[in-house]
Amino acid sequence: MSVSMKTIIYIVMSAVSGVAILLLFLLNRRFRISKRKEDVFFRYLCAIEIVYCATVIIKNMDWLFATQNPFGFWPLVFSTVPQILLVLSAQMWVLFVDYYINGSMDEIKRRYRLFYIPYLFILVIGIFGVLLLKRMESETVNGLEDVSVRSAALFILWLLTYYIVSVVTVVWYIVKAIKIVRYHKTERDRPLLLRLDVFAIPWAVAYFFELLPTTSVYIEPLCAAISLILTFYIIQKRYQYIDEETQFYNESFIDYLKKYFLSRKVNDVILVSVRGKNASDTARAVSACRPEKSMIFRIGEDTFLIMAHNPGEVALRSFKELLRAQYSAFDDSTALDVETFVQTKEENFEELVNRAGL
């Protein structure tokens, strides 16, 4: 079977895209070994995109199937796999964004407890499609004119159902990600360090062209790779603000927040300075007691800072007692030094931080 130049270009582009994504693992050791959940989700996302590029290559290597039958079983099976992988990548992307912003695995398990339903539906459609393709493959031994009207109608209905389910699932996940980011912007006073558009736009273009006939534009793998690589380099900015040992923010991020809040009004903030003899036990105590929507910073070797909204004097006193009790459970030989700084109405964020001695 002869191979067209377009097919060769498509295969080469897919291979280059897959290798480019793979290099994200090979060239960045910190990202490769990171145990942060959002990095784990992003690694899964990269792996899915690499498999996607591989299936695109296989789909276009028609000579492997040695068939001219347009309803051949394996050619049609491989023609549907890339769409399934792009749906899966959309889901993994939303999980990454959700955990990146909200940082709660329990909430993710609760919100996405029914995530498997679209895949069960696609599986049922796929089983039906396999049986239908087997039937049509036997009918088209002598040519397309032997295909029955019933089989042709069922085939068209199967394709429409498959694509509708895929598109609806993808749109739902994209809307979900947009809502998560919108909530972050309206409810939280902190920088996101994540651009939704640099992933969504190239990826949506890739998915749109994946739904078109294979004779159209050949840019799907390239768009998928671009979306991941751009997102990767944007979130890499976060690493300069993270303490590698504890995975909390470092002191450099406080300097970044000072500039960030210059043009944004932030009110009713508290800073809780926590210092213990054993830095590891202090970090565990702080992590176990952290308030909702708070940020934790490591300041120096054995001091940690918690930034949160002011819960009130009574709640703040209870929080300090809880911190000390939690630390005593890890190390009862020494006491925990806890100091609070409450933002006044006249103070901006930089003045509050300076008053805390930072």
Side-chain angles (χ1 to χ4, degrees):
M1 177 180 291
S2 60
V3 183
S4 67
M5 182 57 66
K6 286 186 176 181
T7 300
I8 294 175
I9 293 174
Y10 199 19
I11 291 174
V12 171
M13 187 181 298
S14 301
V16 170
S17 301
V19 171
I21 297 172
L22 184 61
L23 288 176
L24 296 181
F25 292 94
L26 302 178
L27 298 181
N28 194 304
R29 179 180 177 274
R30 189 171 186 178
F31 171 71
R32 190 170 64 250
I33 66 175
S34 173
K35 295 182 180 180
R36 292 176 68 95
K37 286 293 184 182
E38 62 265 37
D39 288 337
V40 173
F41 284 134
F42 195 77
R43 286 200 297 265
Y44 285 150
L45 180 56
C46 290
I48 292 169
E49 295 288 0
I50 290 172
V51 175
Y52 164 71
C53 291
T55 56
V56 169
I57 292 173
I58 296 174
K59 183 181 76 171
N60 286 274
M61 297 175 69
D62 294 331
W63 62 86
L64 290 179
F65 307 112
T67 177
Q68 296 285 350
N69 188 350
F71 293 104
F73 176 72
W74 287 112
L76 279 173
V77 167
F78 274 105
S79 70
T80 60
V81 169
Q83 285 87 13
I84 296 175
L85 290 172
L86 282 177
V87 172
L88 183 59
S89 68
Q91 182 190 65
M92 193 57 60
W93 174 55
V94 172
L95 293 177
F96 159 72
V97 171
D98 198 331
Y99 192 88
Y100 184 95
I101 291 177
N102 298 315
S104 174
M105 198 64 198
D106 292 335
E107 285 296 310
I108 284 180
K109 291 178 180 178
R110 181 185 62 82
R111 280 193 288 267
Y112 305 102
R113 62 186 182 277
L114 301 178
F115 78 96
Y116 57 86
I117 289 181
Y119 298 100
L120 289 178
F121 197 65
I122 290 175
L123 177 62
V124 172
I125 297 173
I127 294 173
F128 175 78
V130 167
L131 298 175
L132 179 61
L133 290 174
K134 282 291 188 182
R135 174 179 173 178
M136 297 188 71
E137 191 173 28
S138 63
E139 290 181 358
T140 56
V141 173
N142 298 320
L144 291 178
E145 61 275 3
D146 294 334
V147 177
S148 65
V149 175
R150 176 184 172 84
S151 295
L154 287 174
F155 179 74
I156 293 174
L157 179 63
W158 172 71
L159 278 181
L160 286 175
T161 305
Y162 170 79
Y163 282 119
I164 288 173
V165 172
S166 300
V167 171
V168 168
T169 303
V170 166
V171 170
W172 186 87
Y173 281 124
I174 290 177
V175 171
K176 186 73 174 178
I178 293 174
K179 288 182 177 179
I180 292 170
V181 173
R182 184 179 299 168
Y183 168 80
H184 177 277
K185 289 182 177 179
T186 56
E187 299 293 332
R188 296 196 173 189
D189 297 323
R190 69 181 68 178
L192 183 58
L193 299 180
L194 177 68
R195 289 282 300 275
L196 199 65
D197 53 335
V198 299
F199 182 94
I201 293 175
W203 185 92
V205 171
Y207 188 75
F208 172 77
F209 281 109
E210 188 60 55
L211 294 175
L212 296 179
T214 55
T215 54
S216 60
V217 184
Y218 299 94
I219 62 172
E220 304 98 288
L222 185 60
C223 287
I226 289 173
S227 67
L228 281 183
I229 292 171
L230 288 177
T231 300
F232 174 78
Y233 280 106
I234 287 175
I235 65 176
Q236 287 304 289
K237 183 179 181 181
R238 172 195 52 171
Y239 281 126
Q240 65 181 299
Y241 301 125
I242 290 177
D243 176 66
E244 191 168 356
E245 182 181 351
T246 62
Q247 297 299 299
F248 296 150
Y249 291 113
N250 58 29
E251 197 166 355
S252 298
F253 194 58
I254 295 180
D255 296 331
Y256 180 86
L257 289 178
K258 289 179 182 179
K259 299 175 182 178
Y260 178 80
F261 286 126
L262 280 177
S263 58
R264 296 169 176 83
K265 191 174 181 180
V266 55
N267 295 313
D268 209 25
V269 170
I270 61 166
L271 298 178
V272 182
S273 175
V274 184
R275 183 176 182 179
K277 185 175 181 180
N278 188 307
S280 176
D281 291 337
T282 307
R284 291 167 64 192
V286 168
S287 182
C289 301
R290 66 181 303 170
E292 186 179 357
K293 300 181 182 179
S294 64
M295 285 189 282
I296 302 177
F297 308 85
R298 185 175 189 178
I299 311 298
E301 182 63 30
D302 56 359
T303 304
F304 297 86
L305 189 73
I306 303 173
M307 173 184 168
H309 288 290
N310 188 3
E313 185 177 349
V314 175
L316 187 56
R317 190 183 307 116
S318 299
F319 174 66
K320 292 165 66 176
E321 294 174 357
L322 178 62
L323 267 174
R324 291 192 175 100
Q326 189 68 52
Y327 181 77
S328 297
F330 301 133
D331 182 5
D332 59 0
S333 62
T334 58
L336 193 67
D337 182 21
V338 181
E339 188 176 3
T340 59
F341 303 89
V342 181
Q343 184 183 23
T344 63
K345 292 182 179 180
E346 296 78 18
E347 279 183 320
N348 58 32
F349 180 77
E350 185 174 4
E351 290 169 340
L352 172 64
V353 170
N354 291 339
R355 182 157 61 89
L358 302 173

